[in-house]
Amino acid sequence: SKYLSIFRINSCIAPRMSTSIEADMTFIRQRAAALADAMQIDIESIYKVLPHLKPTDTTNPLEVHQQDVKDKAISSFIDHTVLKPEATEKDIHQLCDEAKQHNFAAVCVNGCRVSYCKSQLSGSNVKIATVVGFPLGADEISIKQAATTLAIESGAEEIDMVINVGKLKDKDYHFVHKDIAHVVKAAHNDRQHRKHVVKVIFETCLLTREEIVDAAILSVYSGADFVKTSTGFSKAGAKAEDVRIMKLTVGSAASVKASGGVRTHDDAVLMIQNGASRIGTSAGIDIVKGVAAASGNAY
């Protein structure tokens, strides 16, 4: 189970765009037009960052994704995560050791643990991710921006920020854009002119399908590198159908992270089949070993 089965990855999407994908792309393009109209911006500004949404484009984003991931070790998808409030330094030490041992993509921790992770992961290929506006996303924009700057100064290389869910539901698209863009600005332009990855957490269990698509378009339009399903602290975690519509929306312009409730090798493969390039989970060891994790929150 170390490597993803090429057959399993390629067997779930037909070589040509299926009728269901065509219908989804039509829906996504309609939302892009509606957003442009609501924000009073030229639709071409959305096409500039999401060119596959042009009506004449026939790209199948899932087929492209599957070709990109088919030969990768499943460990390389894992953001090994401990975000529970009671986590101790001992827990974080173990997290870092496991991430190095299994060559996971990253560890994901709360902000106060970033500097410790930096000391533990020095010399390894494991990235350090932390959360901003977590888990509610309701902080002031200036607080999220400042938290991003502080996290990067402490050693964070990736920022997982929570979208302002209420403002998205208010259809205050300019606010949502500004909220994401300010974090992106802080992450992509630190004092040493390094670009850090920004992942935007939607909390998909609280959103309609329309809102998920809107959030994905706004995230890429605002400069984010990833869209992410969940915090792992709300009503539900990642669902394959949500990962799928997110990937169809962002195409190759951004990656998708599935998080919350991904506990087994089969769970992880299903998410990857549907468009995920990262898996946020506390069950990374069980996933790479191909065994079922104990019941409970995967974060």
Side-chain angles (χ1 to χ4, degrees):
S1 63
K2 180 180 179 182
Y3 291 92
L4 295 172
S5 163
I6 295 175
F7 171 77
R8 292 179 72 184
I9 287 294
N10 289 341
S11 63
C12 74
I13 298 294
R16 296 180 181 178
M17 195 176 294
S18 68
T19 303
S20 63
I21 292 178
E22 288 179 349
D24 285 337
M25 293 305 300
T26 297
F27 175 74
I28 292 164
R29 289 181 174 116
Q30 290 171 346
R31 289 311 308 157
L35 275 175
D37 184 60
M39 297 177 72
Q40 296 184 318
I41 59 174
D42 191 330
I43 187 66
E44 291 298 327
S45 65
I46 292 179
Y47 292 157
K48 184 177 180 180
V49 294
L50 293 165
H52 73 292
L53 296 189
K54 293 179 181 179
T56 56
D57 195 288
T58 58
T59 303
N60 180 341
L62 288 180
E63 184 179 351
V64 173
H65 166 75
Q66 290 176 351
Q67 290 301 313
D68 289 342
V69 305
K70 65 180 182 180
D71 296 322
K72 292 185 178 180
I74 199 163
S75 59
S76 68
F77 292 83
I78 303 294
D79 280 5
H80 201 31
T81 303
V82 169
L83 292 170
K84 58 186 180 182
E86 70 271 25
T88 64
E89 186 173 287
K90 182 179 179 181
D91 295 325
I92 304 303
H93 183 87
Q94 180 179 345
L95 183 84
C96 292
D97 280 352
E98 291 171 346
K100 288 186 289 186
Q101 178 185 352
H102 293 279
N103 198 27
F104 289 145
V107 296
C108 187
V109 297
N110 287 304
C112 66
R113 301 296 186 180
V114 168
S115 58
Y116 181 78
C117 288
K118 182 179 180 180
S119 70
Q120 296 300 302
L121 295 171
S122 177
S124 78
N125 293 321
V126 181
K127 302 294 185 183
I128 303 169
T130 193
V131 288
V132 165
F134 194 86
L136 302 179
D139 291 337
E140 291 283 357
I141 293 174
S142 59
I143 299 298
K144 290 183 181 179
Q145 187 173 23
T148 299
T149 299
L150 179 60
I152 290 170
E153 290 176 351
S154 298
E157 297 162 280
E158 300 184 353
I159 302 295
D160 290 30
M161 68 162 289
V162 185
I163 204 168
N164 192 308
V165 177
K167 288 290 188 177
L168 179 65
K169 287 186 169 292
D170 287 339
K171 301 186 185 300
D172 191 345
Y173 303 126
H174 285 288
F175 182 98
V176 175
H177 164 56
K178 184 178 178 182
D179 188 42
I180 299 168
H182 275 65
V183 170
V184 169
K185 182 179 179 181
H188 286 188
N189 299 283
D190 77 341
R191 294 173 183 174
Q192 297 183 37
H193 306 289
R194 297 168 299 180
K195 180 180 176 180
H196 297 77
V197 169
V198 174
K199 310 185 196 100
V200 181
I201 308 172
F202 294 177
E203 208 67 284
T204 49
C205 65
L206 303 180
L207 304 180
T208 65
R209 187 166 178 264
E210 177 180 297
E211 289 165 345
I212 291 170
V213 171
D214 290 352
I217 294 170
L218 286 166
S219 295
V220 177
Y221 181 71
S222 304
D225 307 286
F226 272 79
V227 292
K228 176 178 172 181
T229 60
S230 319
T231 63
F233 284 80
S234 192
K235 298 176 182 178
K239 294 182 178 179
E241 59 264 34
D242 294 337
V243 171
R244 180 178 182 275
I245 197 72
M246 290 163 72
K247 188 59 187 175
L248 290 175
T249 303
V250 303
S252 299
S255 300
V256 179
K257 178 175 174 178
S259 56
V262 184
R263 305 198 57 79
T264 68
H265 182 271
D266 286 349
D267 290 342
V269 169
L270 179 63
M271 296 303 168
I272 295 165
Q273 285 176 334
N274 280 277
S277 297
R278 290 280 189 95
I279 303 293
T281 181
S282 60
I285 304 300
D286 294 318
I287 287 171
V288 297
K289 290 182 177 179
V291 299
S295 60
N297 192 319
Y299 260 14

